[in-house]
């Protein structure tokens, strides 16, 4: 068992330090382990390595996921482990030739059409700095019980503390708040822009999830998640409470020691609204399907892809989430709402030059089909997102990045707006 843990530790630093899968914006330095309740006994380096390996086995790879913290507290018997970490980051951005009117490069926020009034913009943003805490307790045959909390400062006026994750996992079950089960966390490359590609499913949901891994290749998951319908009401309709959770599921096949995978996902929704003409609660069925994955092409290259299609699924596509495009009115039947057809796609590449330098690129798009019998000239119709990024590891825990982004938004009447952004990042992880 001792040698197995040492091998696990060696593998963890190989992944964090320079392989094509390295998560870029995280700590790559070896954690410092603080032992408590040792009775004055001095523990050897093997005990430290076992603690780090036990923590590493609970790490999830992917978009905006934390890696090893700089500090881990453990008892002598290692039955309880606490990791404390975080990051301090600052992004500086300059928009030209049109702006994305947000701290993040959100193509839905590009003014249409472009005007000289909103043509250039400079911003500084420290609000993605944050903290995370992970507690791991050994529970016999149940395996480890993991409690995880993370937060940043994207709360009130982008300075207030804002909860991101708060969940418990044990024996394949997850309860709490984390990225939706419909999101494939390893299907996009890292970007300097905190938001990432406009077609990505970066949505936090409160959930009950069960994940089962059959072997080294196959994994499935099913969940019930907190519903949140975003509708555009008419004069005779309105919002109401939601009666059913959303139900996302996926099946994933992995190969190349888990370094490559393909995933098929679906989400099913019952979207409630209020018909004021009939004084009744009504609903529309919503659904989304997704194919996504990553493919390691040798030690230097990794390719990423994702495609989504559905009706009433706008809330799961980050560029149009919360814009009222889950349900819209039916012209000629003022008491009725209809689910909107939408889709998105992402393609990306990552290239690792060496331990210090990494480059990524991503192209993404979002399409909203013109709803039947509903026309609004300024309705979101099509958006494109392009991002090129280069990252430099100044030290194992201090990174810098530089990015160029281009985005465009077209409305239903054909009018177009576009934006360009240069963004720089420095981030220190601890």
């Amino acid at each position: 068992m001792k040698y197995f843990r040492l091998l696990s530790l060696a593998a963890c630093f190989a992944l964090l330090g320079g392989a094509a899968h390295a998560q870029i914006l995280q700590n790559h330095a070896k954690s410092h382990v603080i032992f408590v309740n040792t009775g004055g006994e001095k523990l050897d380096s093997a005990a430290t390595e076992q603690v780090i390996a036990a923590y590493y086995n609970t790490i999830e790879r992917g978009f905006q996921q934390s890696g090893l913290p700089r500090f881990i507290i453990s008892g002598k018997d290692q039955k309880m482990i606490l990791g404390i970490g975080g990051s301090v980051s600052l992004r500086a951005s300059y928009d030209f030739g049109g702006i994305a009117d947000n701290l993040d490069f959100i193509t839905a926020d590009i003014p249409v059409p472009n005007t000289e009034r909103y043509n250039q913009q400079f911003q500084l943003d420290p609000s993605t700095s944050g903290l995370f805490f992970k507690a791991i307790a050994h529970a016999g045959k149940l395996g480890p019980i993991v409690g995880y909390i993370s937060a940043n400062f994207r709360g009130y006026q982008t300075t207030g503390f804002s909860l991101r994750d708060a969940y418990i996992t044990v024996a394949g079950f997850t309860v709490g708040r984390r990225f939706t089960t419909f999101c494939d966390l390893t299907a996009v490359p890292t970007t300097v822009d905190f938001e990432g590609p406009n077609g990505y499913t970066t949505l936090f949901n409160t959930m009950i999830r069960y994940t089962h891994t059959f072997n080294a290749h196959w994994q499935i998951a099913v969940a019930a998640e907190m519903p949140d319908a975003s509708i555009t009401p008419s004069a005779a309709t309105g919002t109401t409470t939601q009666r059913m959770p959303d139900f996302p599921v996926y099946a994933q096949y992995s190969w190349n020691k888990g370094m490559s995978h393909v995933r098929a996902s679906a989400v099913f929704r019952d979207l409630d609204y209020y018909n004021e003409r009939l004084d009744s609660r009504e609903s529309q069925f919503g659904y989304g399907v997704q194919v996504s994955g990553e493919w390691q092409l040798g030690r230097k290259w990794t390719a990423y892809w994702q495609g989504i299609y559905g009706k009433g699924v706008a809330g799961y596509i980050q560029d149009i989430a919360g814009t009222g495009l889950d349900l819209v009115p039916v012209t000629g039947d003022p008491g009725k709402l209809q689910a909107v057809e939408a889709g998105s796609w992402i393609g990306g590449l990552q290239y690792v030059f060496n331990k210090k330098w990494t480059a990524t690129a991503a192209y993404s798009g979002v399409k909203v089909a013109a709803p039947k019998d509903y026309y609004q000239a300024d309705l979101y119709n099509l958006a494109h997102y392009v991002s090129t990024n280069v990252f430099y590891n100044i030290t194992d825990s201090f990174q810098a990045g530089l990015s160029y982004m281009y985005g465009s938004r077209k409305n239903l009447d054909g009018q177009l707006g576009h934006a360009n952004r240069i963004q720089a990042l420095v981030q220190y992880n601890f």
Side-chain angles (χ1 to χ4, degrees):
M1 180 61 70
K2 174 181 177 181
Y3 294 106
F4 174 76
R5 287 175 175 170
L6 292 177
L7 287 172
S8 297
L9 182 67
C12 101
F13 283 108
L15 286 173
L16 293 176
H21 266 63
Q23 288 175 241
I24 299 165
L25 296 174
Q26 66 175 27
N27 171 47
H28 294 167
K30 183 178 180 179
S31 300
H32 178 66
V33 179
I34 303 169
F35 287 97
V36 297
N37 297 325
T38 63
E41 178 184 354
K42 186 176 181 180
L43 300 179
D44 60 20
S45 60
T48 296
E49 292 163 349
Q50 289 169 7
V51 170
I52 297 174
Y55 188 102
Y56 176 77
N57 287 334
T58 68
I59 290 176
E60 185 170 20
R61 279 194 310 112
F63 187 76
Q64 295 184 3
Q65 298 303 292
S66 59
L68 288 170
R70 290 302 303 271
F71 303 100
I72 299 177
I73 301 171
S74 175
K76 175 184 175 182
D77 57 9
Q78 302 178 21
K79 290 184 178 180
M80 187 70 184
I81 298 171
L82 174 65
I84 302 172
S87 65
V88 179
S89 63
L90 177 68
R91 287 172 171 83
S93 64
Y94 176 69
D95 292 12
F96 60 96
I99 69 170
D101 193 16
N102 199 295
L103 288 173
D104 300 319
F105 195 70
I106 300 176
T107 54
D109 290 338
I110 297 174
V112 179
N114 289 96
T115 68
E116 282 299 317
R117 183 173 184 176
Y118 300 107
N119 194 43
Q120 296 174 311
Q121 178 177 239
F122 174 76
Q123 299 181 102
L124 291 171
D125 175 29
S127 66
T128 61
S129 304
L131 296 169
F132 67 86
F133 305 86
K134 179 183 284 189
I136 307 167
H138 293 284
K141 293 181 179 180
L142 287 177
I145 301 174
V146 178
Y148 183 77
I149 294 176
S150 72
N152 63 17
F153 294 88
R154 279 292 180 92
Y156 179 68
Q157 294 183 344
T158 69
T159 57
F161 216 43
S162 176
L163 180 68
R164 285 169 58 82
D165 300 274
Y167 63 83
I168 302 166
T169 64
V170 58
F173 287 93
T174 296
V175 293
R177 173 183 166 88
R178 67 186 305 183
F179 272 111
T180 175
T181 309
F182 194 56
C183 178
D184 187 345
L185 286 169
T186 55
V188 294
T190 303
T191 60
V192 170
D193 176 46
F194 187 71
E195 181 88 350
N198 65 352
Y200 199 37
T201 49
T202 47
L203 170 71
F204 284 93
N205 260 354
T206 304
M207 68 183 68
I208 302 171
R209 178 198 296 176
Y210 177 69
T211 305
H212 183 74
T213 301
F214 293 95
N215 50 43
H217 298 293
W218 286 101
Q219 183 183 78
I220 62 170
V222 58
E225 299 188 358
M226 185 77 172
D228 183 17
S230 179
I231 73 173
T232 299
S234 66
T237 59
T239 59
T240 187
T241 53
Q242 300 299 305
R243 296 173 291 179
M244 293 288 291
D246 293 352
F247 295 102
V249 299
Y250 74 74
Q252 177 172 304
Y253 178 78
S254 303
W255 69 97
N256 192 20
K257 298 181 180 180
M259 300 299 177
S260 303
H261 79 271
V262 61
R263 177 183 293 189
S265 309
V267 61
F268 306 99
R269 316 182 72 193
D270 190 53
L271 303 166
D272 288 300
Y273 65 95
Y274 184 65
N275 186 327
E276 297 190 20
R277 293 182 65 193
L278 301 178
D279 189 26
S280 67
R281 176 196 292 265
E282 300 187 11
S283 66
Q284 285 285 325
F285 176 68
Y287 69 91
V289 292
Q290 175 181 236
V291 177
S292 58
E294 60 175 340
W295 184 15
Q296 185 178 11
L297 308 170
R299 288 191 55 81
K300 297 289 188 180
W301 291 94
T302 305
Y304 308 86
W305 69 91
Q306 173 189 288
I308 296 174
Y309 169 80
K311 288 187 175 182
V313 75
Y316 283 86
I317 301 173
Q318 70 171 3
D319 206 42
I320 51 176
T323 60
L325 289 174
D326 284 330
L327 300 177
V328 299
V330 177
T331 302
D333 195 345
K336 293 288 185 181
L337 296 180
Q338 59 185 319
V340 178
E341 185 178 358
S344 69
W345 55 93
I346 299 172
L349 287 171
Q350 176 175 295
Y351 183 78
V352 178
F353 294 93
N354 50 47
K355 187 177 179 180
K356 290 287 188 180
W357 292 93
T358 302
T360 69
Y363 163 67
S364 178
V366 178
K367 170 70 174 178
V368 174
K372 182 181 179 182
D373 299 324
Y374 179 75
Y375 179 83
Q376 296 289 325
D378 62 352
L379 186 70
Y380 182 112
N381 179 237
L382 177 66
H384 297 283
Y385 168 99
V386 177
S387 175
T388 58
N389 311 266
V390 61
F391 300 91
Y392 177 63
N393 290 324
I394 301 169
T395 70
D396 287 341
S397 56
F398 185 31
Q399 291 103 15
L402 183 66
S403 174
Y404 165 73
M405 289 164 282
Y406 170 81
S408 67
R409 169 181 167 162
K410 186 177 76 171
N411 289 342
L412 198 57
D413 62 1
Q415 291 205 72
L416 182 69
H418 50 81
N420 299 267
R421 175 173 292 186
I422 296 174
Q423 188 169 68
L425 163 73
V426 289
Q427 179 164 308
Y428 174 69
N429 305 282
F430 58 88

